[in-house]
Amino acid sequence: MTQQSVVLKTGGNSGFGFAVAEELGSDSTKHILLGCRSAEKGEKAVAELQNRAQATIDFVRLDITDEKSISAAVSEVEKKYGRLDVLVNNAATLDQNQESLALQMASCFETNSTGVALAVDAFLPLLKKSTSVARIINISSGAGSLRRRVNQSPNAQVVGMQGVAYAASKAALNMITLAQAKAYGGDALKVFVYTPGFVISNLSTLNTVENGAKSPKDGALGLVKVINGERDSEHGGFLSESGQYEW
Ligand SMILES: NC(=O)c1ccc[n+]([C@@H]2O[C@H](COP(=O)([O-])OP(=O)(O)OC[C@H]3O[C@@H](n4cnc5c(N)ncnc54)[C@H](OP(=O)(O)O)[C@@H]3O)[C@@H](O)[C@H]2O)c1
């Protein structure tokens, strides 16, 4: 029997992360781990997915803003599986209800940039133990694209100054990913930035059908291809479903 790939996705209990788990669930060669900060939400998501999945699914408690939580999750994955094959850093916040810009900046950077850097640093030894090509996929956003901001694309206009904390934290994540790709990338480990596009989710009050957001399932298939190694030749790239994105 083929050994299952262990795929850990942070923030897998809602929106895009959940849709990717649903899509990946049809693949019996995968063991999907949802990294959730709430045990209640994690258990609920696993129960919903397990009903229809060919893959095996579990969740691990993981708050990426808490180093002790990250370290406990690494120990749990090591104890149960001894390795990690794919790490999808999907968890993020826009935190638009913070009382001040300072608090929103701190929160967005803590989760969207620092949290991803810490998670990769902590899980790297397990990714190096993968028996196949390991992959790190950091979920960013078109809002983090400097080029699009320079060109004032419609997306950048929607985000405006209201979303500057989120946009800046995603631009920082892009730089963190490039550094990870240069430092760790090679034949055995591939590193990517991926953006799902504008999808319905709990990220903000704007992420609705009325505002033109598409189903999170539409962006999920593209990410599954990256998880499965179909885009390994684009290592170090800023990917979307349809091609490469502008930095
Ligand atoms: N939706 C879009 O249009 C869009 C566009 C471009 C990029 N993205 C990116 O896609 C990814 C998924 O976002 P989404 O739109 O699906 O939003 P979402 O529905 O709000 O999902 C975010 C997930 O991250 C989790 N999370 C937040 N902080 C966390 C922490 N400290 N530790 C662990 N988990 C945490 C949330 O858990 P809780 O349920 O516990 O809060 C939730 O499961 C994000 O990286 C986002 O930036 C989204």
Side-chain angles (χ1 to χ4, degrees):
M1 199 179 139
T2 326
Q3 189 183 44
Q4 282 182 307
S5 299
V6 183
V7 180
L8 169 59
K9 182 155 26 63
T10 66
N13 57 272
S14 82
F16 180 62
F18 186 80
V20 172
E22 275 187 309
E23 208 55 62
L24 214 55
S26 62
D27 182 352
S28 63
T29 69
K30 298 287 185 297
H31 181 67
I32 305 167
L33 273 176
L34 306 180
C36 306
R37 58 182 167 176
S38 150
E40 197 186 336
K41 287 184 186 178
E43 277 162 14
K44 187 166 172 276
V46 168
E48 273 179 54
L49 291 163
Q50 252 166 0
N51 287 335
R52 322 161 238 151
Q54 312 291 309
T56 50
I57 302 176
D58 204 349
F59 87 96
V60 58
R61 275 295 281 278
L62 177 54
D63 180 340
I64 59 162
T65 63
D66 177 350
E67 282 191 83
K68 283 190 185 144
S69 171
I70 296 174
S71 163
V74 170
S75 299
E76 191 177 330
V77 174
E78 181 165 30
K79 204 168 146 198
K80 285 189 176 164
Y81 315 102
R83 68 181 208 288
L84 182 62
D85 299 305
V86 182
L87 174 62
V88 182
N89 287 298
N90 164 78
T93 187
L94 207 145
D95 231 349
Q96 60 185 173
N97 295 323
Q98 283 287 1
E99 285 164 23
S100 70
L101 180 60
L103 289 172
Q104 195 191 15
M105 294 288 292
S107 168
C108 283
F109 273 83
E110 187 181 27
T111 305
N112 307 348
S113 323
T114 310
V116 178
L118 296 180
V120 167
D121 190 50
F123 279 104
L124 191 63
L126 290 185
L127 286 160
K128 286 185 173 169
K129 289 184 181 169
S130 171
T131 48
S132 53
V133 175
R135 296 180 187 92
I136 296 166
I137 308 165
N138 295 335
I139 306 302
S140 187
S141 167
S145 162
L146 300 180
R147 174 59 56 200
R148 283 171 73 93
R149 181 65 56 146
V150 168
N151 294 339
Q152 281 294 327
S153 76
N155 173 299
Q157 282 164 26
V158 168
V159 173
M161 278 308 287
Q162 195 197 0
V164 75
Y166 174 77
S169 68
K170 290 294 191 180
L173 173 62
N174 293 353
M175 175 56 83
I176 289 164
T177 312
L178 282 174
Q180 292 166 344
K182 297 283 179 208
Y184 313 135
D187 291 342
L189 180 58
K190 305 291 178 190
V191 186
F192 310 89
V193 174
Y194 184 87
T195 176
F198 187 40
V199 299
I200 301 160
S201 76
N202 296 330
L203 193 63
S204 82
T205 51
L206 291 174
N207 289 80
T208 61
V209 186
E210 295 72 31
N211 285 318
K214 60 184 182 178
S215 162
K217 279 192 164 210
D218 292 345
L221 264 178
L223 181 63
V224 168
K225 287 183 182 163
V226 186
I227 290 172
N228 285 335
E230 290 178 42
R231 298 187 66 179
D232 276 359
S233 61
E234 295 173 79
H235 160 72
F238 187 174
L239 312 186
S240 70
E241 187 165 24
S242 54
Q244 292 257 349
Y245 218 79
E246 302 168 298
W247 293 103

